[in-house]
Amino acid sequence: MKQSVAILGATGSIGQSTLKILADHPDKYHLYAISGFHRIAELVDICLQFQPEVVALPQSHVALFKDLATQKQLKQLPALLVDEAGLVAIASAPEVDVVMAAIVGAAGLSSTLAAVKAGKRVLLANKEALVMAGEIMLAEAKKSGALVLPVDSEHNAIFQCLPQQYFSHRQQNKQPQLGVSRLLLTASGGPFLNFSLEQMQQVTPAQACKHPNWSMGQKISVDSATLMNKGLELIEACHLFAISEHFVTVVIHPQSIIHSMVQYIDGSTLAQMGNPDMCTPIAHALAWPERISTQVKTLDLFEVQTLDFCPPDLDKFPALKLARQSMREGGTAPGILNAANEIAVAAFLQERIKFLDIANLVDAVLQQSQFESTDDDLNVVMAADQCARDKAAQWIRQYGVQ
Ligand code: NAD
Ligand code: MG
C-alpha cells in the first residue's frame, strides 16, 4: 500500500527536497496534496510532475494558478482550497497518511496542529510551531496518536541516537531518561562565525543568506547567521525529547558533518553523521522505522579529515542566550521570542534594521513583555504572538529605517 502524502510548503526548500525523495520512490508514496504561498508557477510545475488531487494556495493567487495551468497545459486541474482553511483541510484530510509540515514561521502553526490533531504521521520541519505551542502540540499528539517525527537535521540526528523506546516512554518530568545524560546540539556557526562584532555590524542580507554548508529558505538562513536558529532548536529539543534546557549543550561544529549527539551515563557519546543534505533526515522521517535510499553522497571520512568543535560565543550571538532564557522562563516567553524574531528578520531582509539589531529588538520585546502560562490554550499563545509583533513593529518605527 502506498502512503499518501501532503506537503505544506511544497514550493520551499524543504518542500523541494521532499519532492525529490517522492520522485525517487513512486512505488511507496503518492503525493495527494500540496500548498504554496508565493511561487505559483512552481506550484503548477509540481502539479505537472506529480498530479496531486488537491492544492492549497492564497485566494488572491487562484486566478494566476488557473492561467498558468492553462498555459502550461496541465491536463487535470486539482481541487483548489484557499487560505488558512485550505491548509488545515489538507493537513487533516482523511485521504492523507503523512503530512510534511514545511511552512516557515508562525504561519504554519494552525495546519501543523491540525495534522497532529488528525493523528497523522507528521514530519516536523516547521520548528516555529513547536516553539510557540510545544506543550499543546505534544499533548494533542498523545490524544490523537499522531507520530511527530523530527525533520530538523539536529533533532533527527538525536532521534536516531536515542534508544528506540525513548519516544514512547517520554515522560514530562524533563529529566533525561533511559541512561541518557545530555544532548549535544551541533551548530555550524553560520556565515559570521569568524567575524568580529565590528564586522557583523555592517553585514548585508545577501551575506547573511549565504550559508557555508546548507542551502535553505531566507528566514532560516538569517536565523542561522544570528544563531537564533540554534536557540529555536534548543527549545524544539526540550519539547520533542521532554528534557530541560539544562541538559542540552550547543556545540559549534563548522563542518556540519555530525548533525548532533546523545551522551549516556556510561560514558558513551553517539553521533549521527552525513553530508549536509536535508534529504537524509526527510527520508529517515518518511520511512522510519525502515530506511529508504536517497541521492545524498555517502560520507567520505578521508575527504572530510577533520572535525572541529568549540563553544558558542554568546557575546557575538546573544540570540542563543535569549532563547535559552525564554525556555527557562517557559509559558508564553518562547512564543514572544519567536514572534519578535520573525518581525526582526523580515525587517532586516528589507534593510530596515541592521543585522545586530535583530537580537537587540528581540531582547527589547522580551523585556517589555509579561510572561504567562499558556494553560494549554492556543488563544493565549496567539494573543502573546500578536502582542509581541506589535511591540516589535513599534521598535522598528522608533529605531529602524522607515
Ligand atoms: P522556505 O522559505 O524555502 O519555504 C517556506 C514555504 O512556506 C514555502 O512553500 C512558502 O510558500 C510557504 N509559506 C511562506 N509563508 C507562508 C504563509 N504565510 N502561509 C502559508 N505558506 C507560507 O523555507 P524552508 O527553508 O523550506 O523552511 C521551512 C521550515 O522548515 C522552516 O520552519 C524552517 O525553520 C524549517 N527547516 C528548514 C531547513 C532547511 O534546510 N531549509 C532545515 C531545518 C528546518
Ligand atoms: Mg537544524
Side-chain angles (χ1 to χ4, degrees), residues 240-374:
L240 280 174
F241 307 118
I243 202 165
S244 141
E245 53 77 29
H246 178 68
F247 298 106
V248 187
T249 301
V250 173
V251 178
I252 301 290
H253 164 48
Q255 292 90 355
S256 300
I257 294 295
I258 293 183
H259 299 306
S260 278
M261 293 169 261
V262 175
Q263 295 191 313
Y264 286 84
I265 51 176
D266 63 0
S268 299
T269 299
L270 301 193
Q272 186 265 349
M273 298 194 268
N275 281 314
D277 187 321
M278 288 308 293
C279 285
T280 299
I282 294 169
H284 178 266
L286 200 53
W288 184 85
E290 287 169 26
R291 297 263 180 183
I292 52 172
S293 64
T294 67
Q295 296 182 32
V296 179
K297 207 173 134 224
T298 305
L299 189 61
D300 179 349
L301 284 173
F302 298 123
E303 202 178 291
V304 175
Q305 292 193 350
T306 25
L307 299 174
D308 296 310
F309 308 96
C310 68
D313 180 339
L314 297 180
D315 294 327
K316 266 167 57 181
F317 300 103
L320 182 54
K321 197 166 49 185
L322 295 173
R324 194 181 279 280
Q325 279 165 2
S326 78
M327 187 62 210
R328 220 172 272 160
E329 201 69 54
T332 51
I336 291 170
L337 169 102
N338 176 67
N341 181 58
E342 284 192 27
I343 298 291
V345 171
F348 168 67
L349 287 169
Q350 295 163 358
E351 302 191 63
R352 295 182 63 199
I353 64 172
K354 299 266 200 193
F355 181 74
L356 294 177
D357 282 339
I358 297 174
N360 292 338
L361 184 160
V362 174
D363 193 8
V365 171
L366 283 168
Q367 287 195 34
Q368 290 165 26
S369 301
Q370 270 162 6
F371 310 125
E372 47 181 332
S373 158
T374 64

